[in-house]
Amino acid sequence: MELASIQNLTFTYPEQETAVLSDVSLTLRPGDFAVLAGPSGCGKSTLLRQLKTVLAPHGQRTGTITLEGRPLDDIPAQEQAAKIGFVLQSPDSQIVTDKVWHELAFGLESLGVSNTEIRSRVAEMASFFGIQTWFHLETNQLSGGQKQLLNLASIMVLQPQLLILDEPTSQLDPIAATDFLQTIGRINRELGTTVLICEHRLEDVIPMANRLLILDKGKLIADETPMETFDILRNLDHPMLL
Ligand code: ADP
């Protein structure tokens, strides 16, 4: 069984001569916690964005991307919005309303879910994330860590199957970062959501991960359990280990 699959993906940005991703293949199975790592500029962000059509950069693309066996491009934006959650680096750029409770409800409102259902799902997620105490605050009163948790909770209200995170803690202080990553671990364990995360705090995420993927100069050079991937890196004498 596979949830999402990328096969032989090669991608080149407009007016560039060399491909930023070369012949990348990877398959995510339901329940996976996959960490994507690699040197800065190796194409991690470009790769993650291929998995949601509205975020995919313009350029020349070959290969196939599927979700539950269907080509991603054939899946309507609204369905992708519900099934594929995406958390980006900047906590501020993703908040779209002025109140915490409204932020949590917003995605469900856009999907036309009934008010009763919205209320129950929002209450459930507020409790899961422990954000009842700031439920009635204005979003601009929140700390960076709270904003990023709110972004995550607003996505989880939609019950996505796949949660993708691109350096979600890079603008958080160390305590908020660890707290945020622990929450991602709980989401994976307790809700069963499949996670694909690009995160430089490897010491926080490796213990939760069943797979560690290494991208180097646009090529996937390892895709194994963390222990096996570290062995591969050691055998290659890879600078990432230094
Ligand atoms: P990473 O997330 O691993 O740091 P990125 O996916 O952000 O890497 O970038 C990979 C490469 O693609 C980098 O060399 C970057 O400069 C280049 N790049 C990113 N966005 C664009 C763009 N819109 N046009 C051209 N090149 C880009």
Side-chain angles (χ1 to χ4, degrees):
M1 240 269 272
E2 62 183 48
L3 176 61
S5 175
I6 292 177
Q7 292 304 324
N8 308 109
L9 177 76
T10 294
F11 178 79
T12 312
Y13 278 110
E15 286 152 45
Q16 301 291 310
E17 294 190 348
T18 46
V20 60
L21 298 172
S22 314
D23 200 21
V24 172
S25 296
L26 75 96
T27 296
L28 293 170
R29 292 173 291 271
D32 269 347
F33 192 120
V35 173
L36 177 65
S40 175
C42 69
K44 299 182 294 294
S45 198
T46 307
L47 177 58
L48 293 183
R49 286 169 174 269
Q50 306 292 327
L51 285 161
K52 192 160 178 174
T53 306
V54 288
L55 295 175
H58 290 290
Q60 205 183 353
R61 181 178 297 104
T62 58
T64 57
I65 304 172
T66 56
L67 183 72
E68 297 172 310
R70 294 156 67 200
L72 194 65
D73 288 339
D74 293 352
I75 302 179
Q78 220 182 28
E79 191 180 339
Q80 289 193 29
K83 289 189 168 165
I84 310 164
F86 216 110
V87 179
L88 302 163
Q89 280 191 16
S90 161
D92 285 303
S93 64
Q94 299 165 79
I95 288 178
V96 290
T97 70
D98 57 350
K99 291 267 200 292
V100 170
W101 66 266
H102 195 201
E103 190 68 24
L104 289 167
F106 186 77
L108 292 173
E109 285 174 2
S110 334
L111 294 175
V113 173
S114 76
N115 279 341
T116 336
E117 173 79 9
I118 291 179
R119 255 191 300 258
S120 95
R121 283 221 231 160
V122 164
E124 194 184 357
M125 274 304 138
S127 146
F128 185 87
F129 284 86
I131 59 184
Q132 299 102 319
T133 48
W134 35 282
F135 195 68
H136 291 287
L137 290 188
E138 305 264 330
T139 47
N140 63 16
Q141 293 176 283
L142 304 179
S143 67
Q146 287 174 320
K147 282 182 182 163
Q148 202 61 315
L149 273 181
L150 178 59
N151 287 324
L152 183 59
S154 310
I155 287 169
M156 292 315 297
V157 160
L158 305 177
Q159 301 172 340
Q161 286 149 306
L162 177 58
L163 179 61
I164 303 171
L165 306 100
D166 189 1
E167 297 278 2
T169 69
S170 60
Q171 296 181 19
L172 306 189
D173 65 62
I175 293 173
T178 299
D179 185 40
F180 183 87
L181 295 172
Q182 291 300 323
T183 305
I184 300 297
R186 267 183 71 215
I187 288 172
N188 175 254
R189 285 193 310 276
E190 296 177 22
L191 306 177
T193 313
T194 305
V195 172
L196 174 60
I197 183 169
C198 173
E199 171 59 54
H200 63 276
R201 295 176 166 274
L202 287 182
E203 68 284 8
D204 278 329
V205 284
I206 293 295
M208 310 168 185
N210 66 330
R211 292 167 67 182
L212 175 58
L213 287 66
I214 308 289
L215 196 64
D216 193 355
K217 301 191 191 81
K219 288 193 166 56
L220 202 58
I221 60 166
D223 172 9
E224 307 294 338
T225 65
M227 293 265 276
E228 289 164 343
T229 289
F230 281 124
D231 280 343
I232 292 172
L233 292 176
R234 257 190 297 275
N235 286 336
L236 292 171
D237 222 355
H238 197 277
M240 254 197 77
L241 286 176
L242 302 176

